[in-house]
Amino acid sequence: MKNKDKGRFFLLLILMNMAMLTMAQPKYNYSKLQMENLGRGVVAIRNNSEEVVVSWRYLSSDPLKTGFNIYRDGVKVNAAPLYGSTMYIDKYNGDGAVLYEVRSVLRGKEVHQKDGQYRLPEKAPIGYVNIPIQKPANAWTPADEEYTYHANDASIGDVDGDGEYEIILKWNPSNAHDNAHDGYTGPVYLDCYKLNGTRLWRINLGNNIRAGSHYIPFIVYDLDGDGKAEVVVRTADGTIDGLNNHIGNPQNDFREVGFVDKKRPQHNADGTRMPLRNEGRIFTGNEYLTVFSGLTGEALKTIDYVPERGNLADWGDTRANRSDRFLACVAYLNGRTPSVVLCRGYYTRTVLAAFDWDGKDLKQKWIFDSNKPGCEDYAGQGNHNLRVGDVDGDGCDEIIYGSCAINNDGTGLYSTKMGHGDAIHLTHFDLDRKGLQIWACHENKIDGSTYRDAATGEVLTQIKSGIDVGRCMAADIDPTHPGVEMWSLESGGILNVKGEHISPKMHRFPTNMAVWWDGDLLRELLDSNMISKYDWKRKKCILLYEMEGTESTNGTKSTPCLQGDIIGDWREEVLMRTEDNSALRLYVSPIPTAYRFHTFLEDPIYRISIATQNVGYNQPTQPGFYFGPDLKGLFRGCVIMEEDSK
């Protein structure tokens, strides 16, 4: 790279990083936030038999002119420091285990700032990190029916304080289902794994916690600022922590499901099957909120769960269908430290309770209840998911609870009164409009899909529909239209931020997830185990990558275990389960990119969207700023150039 080109490169790098961090939310003072101490996030994967892809994080703490050197088993493999993208393709055709190390370079000298290592295992698979997992044993219901387990939703957290993430995985029984239907569900397990497959602990949530998409939102986050993530989840009598300690009264473990003993259930004296008590539903019994150590799985603190169940009828029915609908999130309610918010109900009564964790005690901050006078408009507005971000610019987070928003102080911010929905997206869609916007779909067979201002609830665009619009998606997939595009099952095609149709309705167009994958600034579409790219010229999707040998989860939602910027450069990874549930596969993009950006993980809205991805119906990550090809337009069409390191 010539000197004049280097100067232009660094100038553009400054401008683009400033744009990323300040454009969408100028009042959000990131320096005040208690955030994670991220490491370099080095990862290496086989690209083919001749090449290894090495990828690592570029951090906001890195000086602008930071370069990088790459070492394989102690020998430097790059000819000159790398100042372009934080990805390097190493020509290596061996099949033995090797250690890759990334070292920072300033003014031509290695400074060992946030150095990181990754050991590529012997005979590593092509395209992904293989993470062995330990499937729970098959079991039987009280009706003598066998069920098995599959890997389900996952989250990430640095549980040991080394700056790198571990994976917390939920195991779902095969008989997990919605509370709209009767039937026993087996117990749910939470496991913690390092990326090499080492299991740190297993938590058994027990038989008094129902299995399904609506009952076990688990939050993984460093809440007390000690550098190690905690796990927060609803528990009950019979829950067993990672050190094999019982929570509550273990004698009540099988009260609601009709077990005779803790082994395979028995039949009645006449040989008939033992009936299910409450058809497997849980109407009564103790509910708790427990904070677990992310490192050991030990229950650190258990209190009564808030919002409490109370009278079932208060939630809309007497079958625990409406009362057993749970959400949860992390939010910087005071603009400095993270709080955990536990939620109950969204079809009728809606209650949110915020707590702070100081390492020893849970302190309740506030409770929002739609039953309180003046809050009636907030009843029945919740989604099967939620979003979090500072939408009003006061430096504190609000909670987008479906069709309404709850302020950081526990008061109502606004309600659109459009009711329940299945999907919602929060980001900076339109560079010509200040702040954040929301794209959502609705179940009420009236309102269809809506694009609204996140701070006020003002509806900017609406596509009405007479059906339940079950899915919607938002991603910048077309560079010929400014901002983020949006579509739903009933939007009649893709819309731009002006509400104009820019494509006709397409058959089987993906509406589930998205991922930054191929190295340009457009986003790709993720559905089941396939990554596709939208061809805006021919108005169709082109398959880019198929993760063969894996399966998606959560039924028709067809979602991965987790999607997001988990490791490596600024792009996103996809965590899938294998078909036999013996391993997780962390897929890392092998495609070169000309861009270098700070990791998305340093944006709080994005990081929280990872922490809440397992809540309800999984939603893809979204940053709190605009990210896409229009960034280039801000600088008269210039792009960051990748340095030739050969």
Side-chain angles (χ1 to χ4, degrees):
M1 181 182 286
K2 297 179 180 179
N3 288 335
K4 65 178 182 179
D5 289 337
K6 280 188 177 181
R8 183 168 56 169
F9 164 78
F10 286 124
L11 175 60
L12 292 173
L13 187 59
I14 292 171
L15 292 173
M16 294 189 79
N17 279 289
M18 287 177 62
M20 284 181 62
L21 294 176
T22 64
M23 185 187 311
Q25 292 183 285
K27 294 184 180 180
Y28 214 143
N29 189 342
Y30 287 66
S31 64
K32 291 184 178 181
L33 296 181
Q34 174 189 300
M35 298 290 284
E36 295 166 305
N37 182 24
L38 291 173
R40 187 59 67 194
V42 178
V43 65
I45 60 164
R46 270 276 170 208
N47 193 25
N48 51 51
S49 62
E50 303 291 326
E51 297 177 333
V52 172
V53 172
V54 185
S55 183
W56 63 96
R57 294 183 187 126
Y58 174 51
L59 302 166
S60 60
S61 59
D62 290 324
L64 181 64
K65 296 184 179 181
T66 301
F68 298 97
N69 284 332
I70 312 300
Y71 289 79
R72 182 196 335 121
D73 282 342
V75 178
K76 187 159 71 75
V77 296
N78 56 302
L82 307 171
Y83 291 96
S85 68
T86 53
M87 172 188 171
Y88 182 80
I89 297 180
D90 179 33
K91 301 294 184 179
Y92 173 66
N93 59 7
D95 60 2
V98 293
L99 180 67
Y100 282 95
E101 183 177 3
V102 176
R103 299 180 187 174
S104 306
V105 178
L106 276 177
R107 299 180 183 90
K109 295 183 179 180
E110 292 182 356
V111 295
H112 301 288
Q113 179 176 329
K114 289 283 188 179
D115 289 356
Q117 297 180 340
Y118 183 85
R119 181 170 294 279
L120 183 73
E122 182 180 5
K123 297 180 180 179
I126 293 176
Y128 59 86
V129 177
N130 189 66
I131 308 169
I133 53 178
Q134 300 173 37
K135 180 181 175 182
N138 292 4
W140 292 265
T141 71
D144 205 17
E145 297 169 345
E146 187 177 18
Y147 58 92
T148 185
Y149 279 89
H150 62 261
N152 190 248
D153 295 331
S155 191
I156 53 173
D158 178 8
V159 305
D160 54 12
D162 66 354
E164 307 302 339
Y165 289 129
E166 284 71 43
I167 294 172
I168 289 77
L169 173 69
K170 181 174 74 171
W171 287 100
N172 250 11
S174 56
N175 56 8
H177 53 246
D178 195 292
N179 242 9
H181 308 284
D182 291 340
Y184 170 76
T185 69
V188 170
Y189 298 93
L190 296 177
D191 284 0
C192 180
Y193 293 95
K194 298 188 75 67
L195 292 186
N196 63 8
T198 299
R199 193 181 79 182
L200 299 184
W201 47 258
R202 169 168 287 173
I203 295 170
N204 179 355
L205 291 177
N207 290 291
N208 288 317
I209 297 290
R210 195 169 173 82
S213 298
H214 312 294
Y215 321 114
I216 310 172
F218 59 99
I219 297 299
V220 182
Y221 214 80
D222 179 11
L223 297 171
D224 59 3
D226 68 351
K228 299 179 181 180
E230 291 81 35
V231 179
V232 183
V233 67
R234 187 174 65 98
T235 59
D237 291 333
T239 297
I240 303 173
D241 76 2
L243 299 183
N244 207 34
N245 299 313
H246 284 264
I247 291 174
N249 185 353
Q251 299 302 316
N252 294 335
D253 187 6
F254 302 94
R255 177 187 56 252
E256 293 300 326
V257 296
F259 270 96
V260 172
D261 58 31
K262 296 186 179 182
K263 299 180 181 179
R264 187 171 179 174
Q266 301 175 5
H267 290 68
N268 295 322
D270 61 1
T272 60
R273 287 179 175 178
M274 185 169 50
L276 289 171
R277 185 176 298 179
N278 300 329
E279 290 77 39
R281 298 172 182 268
I282 301 172
F283 294 164
T284 61
N286 297 319
E287 292 179 296
Y288 307 114
L289 173 64
T290 300
V291 179
F292 295 92
S293 164
L295 180 59
T296 66
E298 178 187 8
L300 302 176
K301 184 71 174 183
T302 297
I303 64 173
D304 289 339
Y305 185 82
V306 180
E308 65 275 5
R309 180 191 294 116
N311 184 359
L312 293 181
D314 290 345
W315 302 93
D317 63 37
T318 59
R319 299 290 295 162
N321 185 21
R322 297 294 190 252
S323 64
D324 274 19
R325 301 285 176 155
F326 300 93
L327 301 174
C329 65
V330 171
Y332 289 85
L333 300 174
N334 62 7
R336 299 184 305 278
T337 56
S339 301
V340 62
V341 183
L342 290 309
C343 319
R344 190 176 208 136
Y346 35 78
Y347 289 118
T348 50
R349 183 186 178 191
T350 293
V351 185
L352 292 78
F355 292 87
D356 289 336
W357 169 250
D358 64 5
K360 294 182 179 180
D361 293 304
L362 279 165
K363 181 180 179 181
Q364 186 172 297
K365 292 177 71 73
W366 48 253
I367 294 180
F368 176 88
D369 190 342
S370 63
N371 276 3
K372 292 182 179 179
C375 298
E376 294 85 357
D377 287 347
Y378 294 82
Q381 303 304 309
N383 267 33
H384 285 302
N385 33 64
L386 39 64
R387 302 279 87 179
V388 175
D390 176 18
V391 302
D392 57 9
D394 64 356
C396 303
D397 282 342
E398 284 72 46
I399 300 166
I400 305 302
Y401 205 78
S403 293
C404 64
I406 309 302
N407 213 337
N408 65 288
D409 61 359
T411 60
L413 184 63
Y414 66 80
S415 175
T416 66
K417 303 180 185 179
M418 291 184 178
H420 170 71
D422 284 2
I424 191 168
H425 305 275
L426 169 73
T427 191
H428 189 191
F429 284 72
D430 187 352
L431 285 168
D432 293 331
R433 177 177 288 274
K434 292 182 179 180
L436 302 169
Q437 294 83 45
I438 292 169
W439 172 242
C441 52
H442 306 278
E443 196 174 277
N444 59 17
K445 301 182 180 180
I446 298 173
D447 289 309
S449 312
T450 56
Y451 172 56
R452 75 180 193 252
D453 184 276
T456 65
E458 176 191 0
V459 176
L460 307 173
T461 297
Q462 182 172 16
I463 306 295
K464 293 195 172 185
S465 174
I467 70 168
D468 169 2
V469 182
R471 299 300 285 170
C472 64
M473 201 36 236
D476 196 345
I477 59 174
D478 188 337
T480 65
H481 291 268
V484 174
E485 284 74 53
M486 50 197 134
W487 61 97
S488 73
L489 296 179
E490 278 292 297
S491 60
I494 301 172
L495 304 175
N496 63 19
V497 293
K498 305 303 180 186
E500 302 164 337
H501 280 91
I502 61 174
S503 81
K505 184 174 182 179
M506 291 169 280
H507 179 61
R508 297 181 64 84
F509 194 69
T511 57
N512 285 336
M513 302 288 279
V515 58
W516 278 290
W517 179 261
D518 70 356
D520 64 18
L521 301 184
L522 291 168
R523 210 168 192 193
E524 285 65 59
L525 302 177
L526 171 62
D527 188 49
S528 187
N529 63 345
M530 294 174 287
I531 298 174
S532 302
K533 192 170 189 68
Y534 176 61
D535 184 338
W536 64 90
K537 295 179 181 178
R538 294 187 290 170
K539 310 297 183 187
K540 62 183 294 186
C541 271
I542 307 298
L543 179 64
L544 284 184
Y545 193 82
E546 184 173 359
M547 294 166 278
E548 296 180 351
T550 69
E551 289 187 355
S552 60
T553 189
N554 296 317
T556 59
K557 305 303 182 291
S558 299
T559 55
C561 296
L562 188 66
Q563 159 271 334
D565 184 7
I566 299 169
I567 201 168
D569 67 18
W570 60 271
R571 290 173 295 174
E572 296 181 302
E573 290 71 52
V574 182
L575 185 68
M576 300 290 294
R577 62 183 174 116
T578 57
E579 293 173 340
D580 63 359
N581 291 288
S582 66
L584 299 176
R585 292 181 181 176
L586 182 62
Y587 285 87
V588 179
S589 176
I591 304 172
T593 178
Y595 299 97
R596 176 165 98 167
F597 294 108
H598 294 154
T599 172
F600 283 117
L601 295 165
E602 296 187 300
D603 171 55
I605 290 180
Y606 184 92
R607 179 63 182 91
I608 290 172
S609 73
I610 288 183
T612 58
Q613 194 174 127
N614 72 80
V615 175
Y617 294 165
N618 304 35
Q619 300 294 277
T621 53
Q622 299 283 9
F625 49 83
Y626 169 79
F627 187 88
D630 298 326
L631 283 175
K632 295 188 296 185
L634 296 173
F635 313 119
R636 300 179 183 177
C638 295
V639 299
I640 292 178
M641 297 176 298
E642 183 178 17
E643 175 157 9
D644 183 4
S645 61
K646 298 180 181 179

